[in-house]
Amino acid sequence: MEERIELPEAEGAERKIVGFFCRECAYAAADATGNARVSLPPTIRSVLVPCTGRVSPLHLLKALADGADGVYIAGCLVGQCHYREGNLYALDRIEFARALLESVGVEPERVRMFTMSAADSPKFVEAARKMHETISNLPPLQRK
Ligand code: FES
């Protein structure tokens, strides 16, 4: 049986963006962002994953199919993945998912990857804001 992911509504958010964050660098940057009381756009819903290498193209496409207008992955800098090569796999999967989307007429920029160090809270915020801006400038994702 196929399970549908329910994406919660957020006040002031017309669009939904799912961010998959690795629990090492990206989550540390997210934590620092929260401690500094910097708010993220209301469109962002976060999913914590052990490593970006754990995110498959199916996770990305399923999030889009279940209501997200955009999906992104945030992880460690290239060469600094705590599982050695997870973020390299994630980069390949992002490219694969983008190519799949483009082949069916969906804007590939709906899916992106960002990398950052654990101390780089500004880059974490910038990634969320960039995704918010990109998705806000696109029409809602049509699913039929
Ligand atoms: Fe962060 Fe692998 S642990 S990308």
Side-chain angles (χ1 to χ4, degrees):
M1 179 183 292
E2 186 176 319
E3 187 179 329
R4 183 178 162 78
I5 303 166
E6 287 301 324
L7 297 175
E9 299 292 332
E11 195 173 314
E14 294 170 12
R15 307 290 170 79
K16 294 173 186 167
I17 300 168
V18 174
F20 292 95
F21 306 148
C22 89
R23 77 170 170 216
E24 303 294 342
C25 294
Y27 202 72
D31 206 30
T33 300
N35 287 337
R37 300 193 182 276
V38 175
S39 57
L40 296 180
T43 44
I44 308 293
R45 274 75 166 161
S46 59
V47 178
L48 184 61
V49 294
C51 170
T52 57
R54 181 64 185 85
V55 181
S56 85
L58 277 179
H59 292 119
L60 304 171
L61 299 175
K62 180 96 169 94
L64 292 173
D66 283 353
D69 295 291
V71 183
Y72 73 107
I73 298 177
C76 307
L77 294 169
V78 170
Q80 294 183 14
C81 170
H82 290 62
Y83 297 90
R84 300 178 63 161
E85 298 174 333
N87 51 8
L88 300 180
Y89 291 124
L91 283 165
D92 282 349
R93 291 168 185 162
I94 287 282
E95 285 312 309
F96 179 70
R98 289 171 67 107
L100 276 179
L101 291 175
E102 196 162 22
S103 73
V104 295
V106 175
E107 301 87 352
E109 57 267 35
R110 290 184 186 275
V111 177
R112 281 187 72 175
M113 178 153 177
F114 299 89
T115 60
M116 63 208 59
S117 74
D120 205 345
S121 168
K123 197 165 180 189
F124 177 82
V125 174
E126 184 188 321
R129 290 183 178 160
K130 261 188 192 159
M131 276 306 291
H132 175 78
E133 186 182 322
T134 299
I135 298 306
S136 296
N137 288 328
L138 290 173
L141 182 57
Q142 300 298 315
R143 292 176 180 78
K144 287 250 175 174

